[in-house]
Amino acid sequence: MNRVITDPAPSTATLPEAPRRRPGTRRMLGAGLAVMIGITALSACTGEAEPAPTPTETQAPESGITDITDAPGSGEGLVGALADTTVDTCELGDGEWNVDGTVTNSSDASASYRIYVSLLNEGGETRSLTQVDVPAIDAGAETEWSTTVALDEEDLSCVLRVERYGASGEESAPEGDGEG
């Protein structure tokens, strides 16, 4: 004979009784919630006005210097040529920054260069942007370039953007004497 053991059925005394709701209770709760949201929104709109802000005395940071005639990347037929350029000097002296270097034409034809010298502070903010145009130089030739920036601010670093223009694009090629 096989015996089957089962758990006794739970008594109704141990089960929690489900709350009984009256018909329409959900609708009444939803309507009450809508009324509360409306009152809150209305009171937010009709509350007292915020006090007017009062100006404070602050000194705006000295603005940077921009000395360019052509926006970077605006010339036709340009090629990025940062590798063609070196910076030999980037230092503050007598209230201005002196920046100079050498550019070597790595292309197979005569080319001119447009060098943008940015002076950046430790936070990466541009304190100066200066354009230096280098007239056409022969393939493989090198020439020196330089610029000075009237900015008496310490702890800046020099960052270059260099654009090379082929001799065939004479109308868009930069012209100049190498000085910025």
Side-chain angles (χ1 to χ4, degrees):
M1 176 168 167
N2 292 336
R3 283 177 59 173
V4 176
I5 302 175
T6 60
D7 288 333
S11 113
T12 57
T14 59
L15 293 177
E17 191 172 308
R20 296 180 188 233
R21 292 191 182 144
R22 289 191 227 145
T25 303
R26 280 191 179 188
R27 277 185 258 145
M28 288 177 55
L29 287 174
L33 182 59
V35 169
M36 289 299 291
I37 291 173
I39 291 171
T40 303
L42 185 59
S43 67
C45 292
T46 59
E48 292 184 27
E50 292 289 320
T54 55
T56 57
E57 297 273 333
T58 58
Q59 185 173 356
E62 182 180 318
S63 63
I65 297 170
T66 303
D67 185 16
I68 63 172
T69 54
D70 304 290
S74 64
E76 292 181 25
L78 72 93
V79 174
L82 182 61
D84 291 2
T85 309
T86 62
V87 176
D88 299 325
T89 305
C90 177
E91 62 188 16
L92 177 63
D94 295 329
E96 63 185 12
W97 280 84
N98 299 298
V99 186
D100 63 50
T102 305
V103 62
T104 304
N105 182 354
S106 65
S107 72
D108 295 334
S110 177
S112 55
Y113 289 81
R114 185 172 292 148
I115 302 169
Y116 295 94
V117 178
S118 296
L119 294 174
L120 307 179
N121 65 17
E122 291 175 352
E125 296 171 314
T126 302
R127 302 303 298 137
S128 171
L129 176 62
T130 304
Q131 177 178 330
V132 179
D133 292 329
V134 178
I137 56 175
D138 293 331
E142 79 176 29
T143 190
E144 295 178 355
W145 61 271
S146 66
T147 190
T148 56
V149 180
L151 181 62
D152 191 11
E153 190 172 326
E154 296 181 5
D155 299 322
L156 300 178
S157 58
C158 292
V159 177
L160 301 183
R161 174 189 169 102
V162 181
E163 300 173 352
R164 180 177 62 221
Y165 296 86
S168 62
E170 286 297 323
E171 69 184 29
S172 62
E175 298 183 17
D177 59 2
E179 293 278 318

